[in-house]
Amino acid sequence: MILTVCLSPCIDVNIEVDSLTVGMTHKIINKNTFFTGKSINVAVGLARLGVQTFLTGFMYEDNGRLFEHELHREGIAYKFVWNSGRVRENYKFIDEKSMLTEIDDVSGEVTAEKQDDLIRLIAEIAPHCEAVVVAGGLTKGMTADYYARILSVIPENVVKVVDSEGERLLEALKCGVDLVKPNVEELQRTLGVHVKNRFSALDGAKKLVKMGAKIVLLSLGKHGAIITDGKKSYYCKSNNVAMNSTIGAGDAMVAAATKALVERRDLDEVLCCGVAAGTAAVTLPDSISFTKEKYQEILAGLIVKEI
């Protein structure tokens, strides 16, 4: 079983309109609502790969029950620490010129007592898991060292995976992490470096290894990904596919790479699995994940090169 920990769930509402002018009335052409959060997306990806998955984290009483229907549909077991208030709702407006206007909500505050409750819950579940994935941002009232608090209660024999950036990632690295999965922008912001090409990206990834990551899987977006353990490094280019949505692509990559890591696959195989899932995710419109069939189709055609 793999445990994923969602600290900041959100409801993403994507709205397509013919135009967007302040002070005017507009007609909605298309609307999609996603019950999401990075670790929730990872859990969905794992479930679609046939992995027994358990989800925990914070949830909010006013509209959090909406998530339960989606989790039941995906066959994901869960247990949340419930809080008063509402899950944050983010709105994305896309007009006829493909211009994106975003309005992001702020999550409700989580008290110190509720934060302690989640740590105890993770400590109770983690010993029964093969891996724990912690991903995404923090809610109001939390500090970056909460990542370290979570990792500190996970047994040493359990694989630890982190998908975050900045101070949260740096705090996690102090505890030692089996796999981290930043993208180039997150790497630059975390280390304060400028990535010019694939080789400078690899240099940045190796810095994260020196800081406490056993393996770094660095997403290069449509150009594929790099993986390194500081000794061996590989590059895998994505297949050329029609991009319908980038929502959840990085989380799909985390899901498949975590499964491969638990299965003790070689470094190049972990990379291939991650790239295949991330690529499969962008082919699906109006979705936060991928299908197993598309994943397997893309995986069969990937080529890895040692760098």
Side-chain angles (χ1 to χ4, degrees):
M1 183 172 73
I2 295 177
L3 172 66
T4 71
V5 182
C6 182
L7 304 176
S8 183
C10 64
I11 299 174
D12 282 349
V13 183
N14 294 358
I15 300 173
E16 185 181 347
V17 293
D18 55 354
S19 63
L20 189 61
T21 306
V22 175
M24 299 295 291
T25 300
H26 302 86
K27 295 287 186 181
I28 294 176
I29 298 173
N30 189 37
K31 177 181 176 181
N32 289 292
T33 302
F34 302 104
F35 301 93
T36 184
K38 292 184 71 63
S39 289
I40 293 174
N41 299 346
V42 172
V44 171
L46 287 166
R48 292 189 179 184
L49 290 173
V51 178
Q52 183 183 1
T53 309
F54 196 96
L55 171 68
T56 191
F58 299 119
M59 193 52 69
Y60 297 86
E61 294 169 356
D62 289 358
N63 56 354
R65 300 294 175 185
L66 297 169
F67 285 76
E68 294 183 307
H69 173 74
E70 297 297 316
L71 295 174
H72 283 302
R73 187 165 61 87
E74 296 288 348
I76 298 170
Y78 62 90
K79 185 175 182 180
F80 294 121
V81 172
W82 289 88
N83 300 269
S84 60
R86 296 179 59 82
V87 177
R88 60 195 174 101
E89 298 175 6
N90 301 325
Y91 292 85
K92 296 177 173 62
F93 296 90
I94 304 171
D95 64 18
E96 83 286 356
K97 298 178 182 178
S98 296
M99 291 292 291
L100 175 64
T101 302
E102 298 187 60
I103 302 175
D104 289 343
D105 200 356
V106 179
S107 60
E109 186 169 357
V110 176
T111 65
E113 181 181 3
K114 295 290 186 178
Q115 294 178 39
D116 292 342
D117 287 345
L118 181 57
I119 294 296
R120 284 191 289 269
L121 182 57
I122 294 169
E124 176 185 327
I125 301 170
H128 306 287
C129 299
E130 296 173 281
V132 176
V133 180
V134 189
L138 300 170
T139 57
K140 188 177 179 181
M142 300 179 70
T143 55
D145 62 354
Y146 196 76
Y147 262 66
R149 289 187 63 192
I150 291 173
L151 296 174
S152 68
V153 299
I154 299 172
E156 289 187 8
N157 64 323
V158 176
V159 173
K160 303 172 186 65
V161 178
V162 169
D163 184 9
S164 194
E165 65 170 302
E167 287 300 318
R168 300 188 303 273
L169 177 55
L170 296 177
E171 286 292 333
L173 291 173
K174 294 176 183 178
C175 301
V177 183
D178 292 284
L179 174 71
V180 299
K181 198 245 23 111
N183 58 36
V184 171
E185 291 76 19
E186 291 166 342
L187 180 75
Q188 291 181 138
R189 288 192 292 265
T190 300
L191 297 179
V193 298
H194 177 62
V195 173
K196 299 178 181 178
N197 51 43
R198 191 191 311 167
F199 301 102
S200 61
L202 178 58
D203 288 341
K206 287 182 175 180
K207 287 183 180 179
L208 294 182
V209 171
K210 292 178 180 178
M211 296 170 72
K214 291 183 181 178
I215 298 172
V216 177
L217 175 59
L218 178 63
S219 171
L220 305 177
K222 65 181 180 180
H223 300 295
I226 288 170
I227 198 167
T228 185
D229 62 1
K231 299 175 183 177
K232 287 191 173 183
S233 305
Y234 298 92
Y235 167 71
C236 180
K237 185 180 184 299
S238 299
N239 285 359
N240 291 322
V241 296
M243 292 184 62
N244 288 298
S245 173
T246 59
I247 297 172
D251 307 322
M253 180 178 282
V254 172
T258 300
K259 179 178 182 290
L261 202 60
V262 166
E263 294 171 344
R264 301 184 183 279
R265 301 281 194 95
D266 291 336
L267 199 61
D268 57 337
E269 293 180 293
V270 175
L271 172 62
C272 268
C273 290
V275 171
T279 305
V282 304
T283 66
L284 290 182
D286 306 330
S287 175
I288 61 171
S289 196
F290 58 92
T291 65
K292 187 175 182 180
E293 293 73 22
K294 192 65 177 178
Y295 162 78
Q296 291 174 330
E297 174 191 327
I298 293 172
L299 181 62
L302 293 177
I303 298 174
V304 176
K305 296 181 179 180
E306 187 168 4
I307 54 176

